[in-house]
Amino acid sequence: MDWRRSDDSAERFSAYLQEIAGVMEHAARVAPMRAYCSGLLLDCERKSVEPIAAATAPHATSAQHQSLLHFLAKGEWSDEKVLGKVRDLVLPQAERHGAIEAWIIDDTSFPKDGSHSVGVQHQYCGQLGKQANCQVAVSLSVANHAASLPVAYRLYLPESWANDAKRRKKAGVPETIEFQTKPKIALQQIEWACAAGLPRGVVEMDCAYGSDLSLRRRLTALELVYAVGVWARTVVRKTDKTGDAEPVTTADLAASLPKRAWRTIGWRDGTNARLVSRFARVRVHAAGEGTTADEPEEWLVVEWPKDEKAPTKFWLSTLAEDITFERMIDIVMMRWRIERDYQELKQEVGLGHFEGRSWRGFHHHATMCIAAYGFLVAERGAFPPSAPRARYLVEKPAIPQGYRPRGSPAPA
């Protein structure tokens, strides 16, 4: 079935949801799935159960509310199967404009009051830029220059939660879920993507993940190329044919590079002008705690914006030794796509609007958000990239006002 055959966006959306309905495993789940996904793309200020119920069934809001609550909190449908179907539907559209080039690992946070929502803990909250009560989820997205799509998504369960049987039971945390650090969750997602045969890309992640030596080693063992952020204090040894180079931090090595090592390179068009910065690269070996004398050679890439007093960002990469500098920066800087993903998932689709407290509800809501977002990605991918169309898809409702999903309660 070609779900894109219609020229009407509402009909395409309905056909898209019909494809997803095929993995819901029970007919009673199809109507609430359609309603919830539809509500996420309607022009509602808040994308939680109550306003979605009101928007999708204005004359039977109470019944719709109960149906959607049960669908999220109690529904025994598979997040993995739904995300798999979304991936099957969306990636072919994204790949019309180029092969997958990157696997991007990142996490996102959701500020929360109280301590009862699953996984909530006083921890660093990226959304607020400080320590705060929040939930944190780790995700893997696949991307090219035209599009990106989250393909794996999991809540980080702090150790205090993982070891608290009472709270686990109340929130419905599966017995199979144990405490894992965020890098461990990321690695699990990457290993799953390899086993699933997803089209491979350069693995990209920020320094909270990239500075983990064991994670980088595992990526190499999986025959994955990486370009990952590392801390300024990460220790490396500059490649030296004599083998006499002393271990230094990435910051100190960057500071010692001659002026001729720095090049001004642009990597993409911004809102008003092309984004440009200064970069340097040098061949190094990992050094410091946990390393051996025969660590493989790789690239250290450094960014030093002109208006900064010192270099600001550092990456280690196993990209080919003969790769051009411009192509390297083009790849390294692709992580920006995940920032746009999360911005649109939160602001346009309501990823952070879930008000329940359970493990199942948290993940079911996220899966529906990714499914709705996937439709937007597919809509972009179906046409040649153009700024006006891309803006339209996020600045205006993706489906017409007055649209009601098939299966919504009939007007009273």
Side-chain angles (χ1 to χ4, degrees), residues 105-106 138-140 181-191 205 209 215:
I105 288 286
D106 205 359
V138 179
S139 68
L140 167 64
T181 64
K182 294 174 195 137
K184 289 291 187 184
I185 296 172
L187 178 56
Q188 191 174 62
Q189 292 176 340
I190 290 167
E191 290 175 334
M205 52 187 77
Y209 297 87
L215 177 52

Side-chain angles (χ1 to χ4, degrees), residues 30-318:
V30 174
M33 178 276 292
R34 283 182 167 275
Y36 204 79
C37 267
S38 300
L40 293 171
L41 291 186
L42 291 172
D43 193 17
C44 306
E45 184 175 347
R46 186 84 183 161
K47 309 292 180 74
S48 56
V49 172
E50 188 171 354
I52 288 176
T56 57
H59 302 290
T61 299
S62 179
Q64 184 80 312
H65 185 256
Q66 290 302 312
S67 174
L68 297 182
L69 277 178
H70 186 273
F71 173 72
L72 284 187
K74 304 293 184 182
E76 295 183 358
W77 49 272
S78 167
D79 293 296
E80 290 76 16
K81 288 183 179 179
V82 173
L83 292 177
K85 175 56 71 173
V86 170
R87 185 174 74 242
D88 291 344
L89 295 171
V90 175
L91 287 191
Q93 299 302 321
E95 290 176 311
R96 291 177 61 169
H97 305 293
I100 295 301
E101 296 176 85
W103 287 6
I104 307 173
I105 288 286
D106 205 359
D107 56 60
T108 190
S109 54
F110 309 96
K112 289 287 182 180
D113 294 326
S115 59
H116 299 292
S117 293
V118 63
V120 165
Q121 177 174 279
H122 195 75
Q123 56 192 320
Y124 181 75
C125 180
Q127 184 170 321
L128 301 177
K130 63 180 182 180
Q131 296 283 322
N133 254 29
C134 66
Q135 296 166 305
V136 178
V138 179
S139 68
L140 167 64
S141 292
V142 297
N144 58 21
H145 279 75
S148 56
L149 177 74
V151 295
Y153 186 92
R154 211 201 90 177
L155 178 69
Y156 164 68
L157 194 69
E159 199 165 6
S160 61
W161 267 87
N163 296 332
D164 189 328
K166 184 177 180 180
R167 283 205 294 180
R168 287 180 64 109
K169 183 177 180 180
K170 190 171 183 179
V173 178
E175 292 183 2
T176 55
I177 298 298
E178 300 177 346
F179 171 72
Q180 288 179 300
T181 64
K182 294 174 195 137
K184 289 291 187 184
I185 296 172
L187 178 56
Q188 191 174 62
Q189 292 176 340
I190 290 167
E191 290 175 334
W192 161 81
C194 289
L198 269 61
R200 292 195 170 201
V202 177
V203 178
E204 304 190 15
M205 52 187 77
D206 67 21
C207 50
Y209 297 87
S211 296
D212 188 317
L213 176 63
S214 63
L215 177 52
R216 299 201 307 271
R217 283 176 169 167
R218 181 58 181 152
L219 295 179
T220 299
L222 290 167
E223 300 182 343
L224 291 165
V225 175
Y226 62 75
V228 299
V230 294
W231 302 116
R233 62 179 180 271
T234 299
V235 179
V236 295
R237 177 170 50 82
K238 187 177 179 181
T239 296
D240 186 333
K241 291 181 180 179
T242 68
D244 294 333
E246 292 293 324
V248 294
T249 65
T250 55
D252 287 342
L253 178 53
S256 73
L257 294 175
K259 187 176 181 179
R260 66 177 181 274
W262 298 92
R263 286 185 54 185
T264 298
I265 298 175
W267 65 90
R268 70 177 174 91
D269 294 328
T271 305
N272 300 313
R274 187 158 179 79
L275 300 180
V276 174
S277 192
R278 291 190 304 171
F279 298 91
R281 62 177 182 171
V282 60
R283 301 293 282 176
V284 301
H285 302 265
E289 184 178 356
T291 61
T292 63
D294 59 350
E295 293 294 335
E297 190 178 63
E298 58 188 326
W299 286 107
L300 169 66
V301 185
V302 185
E303 181 183 6
W304 188 351
K306 276 191 173 183
D307 56 352
E308 296 290 342
K309 295 181 179 179
T312 56
K313 293 181 180 178
F314 308 84
W315 297 266
L316 287 175
S317 176
T318 53

Side-chain angles (χ1 to χ4, degrees), residues 308-374:
E308 296 290 342
K309 295 181 179 179
T312 56
K313 293 181 180 178
F314 308 84
W315 297 266
L316 287 175
S317 176
T318 53
L319 285 163
E321 186 173 357
D322 62 354
I323 190 171
T324 66
F325 208 164
E326 290 78 5
R327 177 57 177 157
M328 174 178 283
I329 298 307
D330 180 55
I331 294 172
V332 165
M333 302 303 283
M334 279 189 70
R335 267 202 75 252
W336 74 273
R337 296 207 65 90
I338 198 70
E339 296 173 5
R340 193 181 76 170
D341 275 351
Y342 279 136
Q343 181 183 29
E344 294 183 2
L345 277 162
K346 288 183 175 182
Q347 295 181 3
E348 308 298 334
V349 187
L351 181 64
H353 294 178
F354 179 63
E355 295 174 352
R357 295 176 173 179
S358 71
W359 176 274
R360 178 178 289 170
F362 177 91
H363 288 91
H364 277 0
H365 171 77
T367 295
M368 289 293 98
C369 288
I370 293 170
Y373 182 65

